[in-house]
Amino acid sequence: EGALKEYKNKVPLNDWAAVQCQTSVNWSSGSWFWNHLSGGLSHQIEHHLFPSMCHSNYVYIQDVVQQTCKDFGVPYQSEPNLDVAIGKSMKHLKTMGSQKISQA
């Protein structure tokens, strides 16, 4: 419990699994329909953690992965549907593209 408590206080950027979760975003998580229609693209987190697993199994491990992230204080990013995910991606790209680069 002590090691788990210490880990919860910070998410290390050099932890491979934590980085996979922090840099991936799911949409329609847990949906068998969207998982199959998208060929597993709706479960990016599970795909990055388990790249050799057949995508049809992602819906079965999604709850376990999400709970494990919660247990270790790792952000699990999931959007309710593809439209929201695309909208947030476009907003992020616009924000990043409009920031001025300072030359020091």
Side-chain angles (χ1 to χ4, degrees):
E1 182 68 31
L4 178 60
K5 195 175 202 177
E6 182 181 329
Y7 194 81
K8 282 184 176 181
N9 292 331
K10 59 181 179 180
V11 179
L13 296 176
N14 64 348
D15 182 303
W16 175 84
V19 170
Q20 300 309 306
C21 296
Q22 292 177 91
T23 59
S24 301
V25 179
N26 287 0
W27 51 272
S28 299
S29 291
S31 170
W32 180 89
F33 174 79
W34 284 112
N35 186 57
H36 282 283
L37 189 69
S38 70
L41 292 176
S42 61
H43 288 86
Q44 284 294 295
I45 295 171
E46 289 73 20
H47 166 71
H48 284 263
L49 292 173
F50 306 101
S52 63
M53 180 182 282
C54 178
H55 77 276
S56 61
N57 293 314
Y58 294 158
V59 294
Y60 302 114
I61 66 166
Q62 184 264 324
D63 287 338
V64 174
V65 172
Q66 188 171 9
Q67 183 60 48
T68 302
C69 286
K70 183 178 178 184
D71 292 346
F72 284 89
V74 175
Y76 184 92
Q77 302 179 87
S78 184
E79 300 302 339
N81 57 55
L82 181 58
D83 291 339
V84 173
I86 290 174
K88 286 188 174 184
S89 293
M90 293 296 116
K91 183 179 178 184
H92 177 70
L93 289 173
K94 182 178 180 181
T95 300
M96 296 303 291
S98 64
Q99 291 182 357
K100 296 191 188 267
I101 300 173
S102 63
Q103 296 179 357

